[in-house]
Amino acid sequence: MSFIDNLKRTGKNIAQKTSDVVEIQKLNLAISQEKEKVKKIYSQVGEEVYRQFILGNDLGFSDKCSEIAGYEAKIEELQNKIMNLKNTKKCGGCGAEISDDAAFCPKCGTKASS
Ligand SMILES: [Zn+2]
């Protein structure tokens, strides 16, 4: 095989390899997108299992659901600290953040507890 032929063949191989790499990247991206869809559904299933747990229906994940309840309580505690710093409180009716000195919730009209 001549030097020129060899060079042409090598060039073609490099072009082929490059388009293969691009194709692999596209396929990996497509895989990632499908995995994200699966993850989203897992998340929805988990949220529904937790919602059922809160309603009193144990679907067999009570340990994990109790763990989530603990984290939710911690989140509420942290949110309360922020509201204390901002001189606001949570409306008992709709959950809106209202001023500490508001007598009624401006959103739902519920009488605010002092
Ligand atoms: Zn309200």
Side-chain angles (χ1 to χ4, degrees), residues 27-46:
L27 292 168
N28 277 325
L29 180 63
I31 289 169
S32 294
Q33 287 169 340
E34 297 307 308
K35 282 184 175 177
E36 275 307 309
K37 291 176 196 169
V38 171
K39 228 186 225 179
K40 194 176 170 191
I41 293 170
Y42 277 149
S43 178
Q44 288 168 343
V45 170

Side-chain angles (χ1 to χ4, degrees), residues 45-91:
V45 170
E47 280 174 21
E48 181 57 22
V49 168
Y50 182 65
R51 203 179 68 84
Q52 290 299 324
F53 173 79
I54 294 299
L55 294 173
N57 304 319
D58 183 0
L59 300 178
F61 300 92
S62 58
D63 285 356
K64 289 290 176 196
C65 288
S66 295
E67 204 179 326
I68 293 171
Y71 297 139
E72 295 283 7
K74 181 73 183 172
I75 290 167
E76 194 174 336
E77 184 189 321
L78 296 168
Q79 286 172 334
N80 284 338
K81 282 184 182 178
I82 292 174
M83 286 193 285
N84 279 340
L85 291 169
K86 289 165 73 182
N87 295 318
T88 58
K89 60 190 171 188
K90 204 178 208 178
C91 167

Side-chain angles (χ1 to χ4, degrees), residues 91 94 105 108:
C91 167
C94 70
C105 173
C108 74

